[in-house]
Amino acid sequence: ERLRAAGVKVGVGTDGGTGITFCGHLETELVALRRYGYSNAEVLRMATLGNMEIVGWADLLGSLDVGKLADMVLLRANPLDGVEAIGTVDAVFKGGRLCSGSL
């Protein structure tokens, strides 16, 4: 609540882990942020465009817009209904190509 009130941009997905998550457990971090009062939409934005805004790359990455680079993950469930859906991966597209083993 204090971070939001202060206008602090929050990003997610660390390689080193945090006090609430461990390295490689993005779903746990997203669920924790929900517990701390952020909506599913806010958490998903933090993990995508929000991260790119923080590092100054929002003009290149972080959202599906003309002229931007994008990798995509297709999920079986809607993450707007629950961020836990990021664990339901059906396919991964990297550099515009379907990764082997997907689907």
Side-chain angles (χ1 to χ4, degrees):
E1 293 173 8
R2 288 184 281 171
L3 292 174
R4 187 181 302 169
V8 173
K9 285 190 182 280
V10 177
V12 299
T14 177
D15 292 338
T18 68
I20 60 170
T21 64
F22 300 99
C23 181
H25 294 271
L26 181 61
E27 182 180 345
T28 304
E29 185 172 355
L30 299 183
V31 169
L33 287 165
R34 281 284 300 127
R35 241 188 348 261
Y36 293 136
Y38 291 99
S39 70
N40 291 318
E42 288 173 311
V43 171
L44 293 169
R45 189 182 189 290
M46 288 175 192
T48 55
L49 185 58
N51 280 346
M52 294 303 102
E53 289 171 343
I54 290 168
V55 298
W57 294 351
D59 57 331
L60 297 172
L61 301 164
S63 62
L64 296 175
D65 291 307
V66 174
K68 286 189 173 185
L69 303 172
D71 297 328
M72 294 189 334
V73 177
L74 300 181
L75 305 173
R76 277 178 255 128
N78 185 346
L80 291 174
D81 293 335
V83 293
E84 302 84 358
I86 69 160
T88 66
V89 176
D90 268 344
V92 176
F93 290 84
K94 176 87 175 146
R97 299 196 188 288
L98 179 65
C99 294
S100 63
S102 293
L103 297 178

